[in-house]
Amino acid sequence: MNIKREDQQYFGSVLFFKHLILATICLIIFSLLTVAIVLNKKNNQLSSKLTQLTGDGQISGSATENIKLDYQKKFPKLYVERKAKTKSVPEKTIFLTFDDGPSRNTMHILDILSYYDLKATFFVVYNDSEDSKHIYQEIVKRGHTIAIHTASHKYTDIYQSVDSFLEDFNKIFTKIEELTGVKPDILRLPGGSINPYNVNIHQELLAELLRRGFTFHDWNVSGNDTGNSATSYSIYQAVVNNASKNDRSVVLLHDLSDKDITVDALENIIVDLQDMGYSFEKLDGSIKPFTFAY
Ligand SMILES: [Zn+2]
């Protein structure tokens, strides 16, 4: 009975309210401490991510190593020196680019370019034949730019993931370096830097290629030489009509064994554009890339 009476006296007493206030203060302090600890932990995680990003992913050490993406750790030799894009390109410059070689037609194209003393850019694919090995070397020997267009050119394989693209890319990069002594530092993605096959990975893929020092080029004039209805005249018209509207053009043509029409169109393209005051140059890693707007 006494105890009950004491309880009744405690609840509502001054002592009870003192204890209640003390308990509330302890609870508030405990909550604030918990929030502080959680925020501090999050802050540390963000700081370490930031260190990795600003360090271009190349900082070593256990803290940053753990959050490096898996594909960034692969192919340690697949790096080129990143060049500042400071080379000025005079007005009325045309960059002829030939995709998909080596082919039966590459030597014809090289001979025409030699005759007019012009330099161009070849975005090549992988081919292990003896003729092709010679062609890779001949492109370099004649002073043109050898650039990469992937090894297999198979959209469904290369654009499956960043990993699969890098694996394919590494195969041709290694081959070209081994055969020519040149580390190609520019590339053209099959279908262009963004296309229906790579929409899901293109941002991540392009970021990874840039991180490794590579520059990718699209085009602003196409000879449309792969269409079924293309003729040497249609290619000539597409290139000359469109390039003559621009101060600077990157012209897409193809170096394919069944595209004699491209070779047939080439001399007229060169002669007529030269008559209009245009000159021809090759691409390199210090030229600001021509990319699609997206
Ligand atoms: Zn292609």
Side-chain angles (χ1 to χ4, degrees):
M1 289 291 281
N2 277 348
I3 291 167
K4 201 176 172 188
R5 201 174 303 124
E6 278 171 14
D7 280 353
Q8 282 170 347
Q9 282 170 356
Y10 174 69
F11 290 113
S13 68
V14 173
L15 189 63
F16 167 75
F17 283 111
K18 275 185 181 171
H19 286 166
L20 189 65
I21 291 167
L22 197 65
T24 310
I25 291 171
C26 285
L27 196 66
I28 292 170
I29 292 172
F30 178 74
S31 306
L32 289 173
L33 272 173
T34 311
V35 170
I37 290 167
V38 170
L39 286 178
N40 187 44
K41 200 173 171 191
K42 280 200 170 177
N43 184 39
N44 285 343
Q45 285 172 348
L46 288 172
S47 298
S48 118
K49 266 191 188 172
L50 191 64
T51 308
Q52 191 220 18
L53 290 171
T54 52
D56 220 8
Q58 292 178 30
I59 291 173
S60 58
S62 58
T64 55
E65 203 66 35
N66 290 338
I67 55 169
K68 228 176 167 183
L69 295 163
D70 275 350
Y71 57 72
Q72 292 180 336
K73 298 177 197 162
K74 292 184 178 173
F75 313 113
K77 291 186 178 169
L78 189 59
Y79 284 87
V80 286
E81 188 194 336
R82 185 185 294 119
K83 293 179 187 142
K85 308 293 181 241
T86 49
K87 193 167 184 175
S88 65
V89 176
E91 285 194 6
K92 293 201 144 191
T93 298
I94 289 175
F95 299 93
L96 292 176
T97 67
F98 297 92
D99 286 13
D100 300 353
S103 81
R104 186 178 65 77
N105 276 317
T106 319
M107 289 310 295
H108 299 306
I109 295 169
L110 286 173
D111 287 344
I112 293 170
L113 297 173
S114 292
Y115 181 80
Y116 289 96
D117 196 20
L118 312 177
K119 299 294 180 253
T121 305
F122 291 80
F123 290 96
V124 297
V125 296
Y126 186 93
N127 192 313
D128 216 10
S129 72
E130 282 306 311
D131 283 351
S132 296
K133 286 180 191 172
H134 170 71
I135 286 170
Y136 295 131
Q137 290 164 342
E138 200 61 22
I139 289 170
V140 173
K141 209 156 88 183
R142 297 198 191 192
H144 303 289
T145 295
I146 193 156
I148 288 180
H149 193 39
T150 70
S152 73
H153 203 290
K154 284 185 190 149
Y155 289 57
T156 47
D157 291 348
I158 57 175
Y159 294 136
Q160 252 178 39
S161 64
V162 177
D163 278 85
S164 45
F165 189 94
L166 291 178
E167 193 175 333
D168 172 285
F169 187 70
N170 188 56
K171 182 179 171 186
I172 178 102
F173 177 82
T174 310
K175 187 78 179 167
I176 299 299
E177 188 188 6
E178 176 193 307
L179 289 173
T180 67
V182 172
K183 281 186 177 191
D185 61 356
I186 66 175
L187 76 148
R188 172 171 289 151
L189 282 82
S193 57
I194 182 163
N195 61 68
Y197 295 89
N198 75 359
V199 279
N200 292 329
I201 63 157
H202 90 278
Q203 278 183 325
E204 213 181 344
L205 173 59
L206 298 179
E208 176 61 1
L209 292 169
L210 293 174
R211 190 187 70 86
R212 288 175 182 262
F214 296 97
T215 307
F216 56 91
H217 282 265
D218 292 318
W219 58 91
N220 61 347
V221 172
S222 171
N224 294 324
D225 53 350
T226 52
N228 289 335
S229 57
T231 62
S232 63
Y233 187 64
S234 74
I235 298 166
Y236 161 83
Q237 271 195 316
V239 174
V240 173
N241 290 349
N242 291 306
S244 58
K245 291 176 195 156
N246 301 335
D247 282 334
R248 298 164 185 88
S249 295
V250 174
V251 177
L252 169 66
L253 293 167
H254 289 86
D255 169 14
L256 288 162
S257 294
D258 62 351
K259 287 295 164 194
D260 296 7
I261 50 173
T262 303
V263 184
D264 293 343
L266 192 54
E267 282 205 72
N268 286 337
I269 289 171
I270 292 169
V271 169
D272 283 11
L273 285 169
Q274 277 184 333
D275 283 350
M276 293 179 205
Y278 286 88
S279 59
F280 295 83
E281 292 295 335
K282 59 182 177 178
L283 293 171
D284 69 47
S286 58
I287 291 171
K288 193 167 172 278
F290 287 73
T291 52
F292 298 150
Y294 47 81

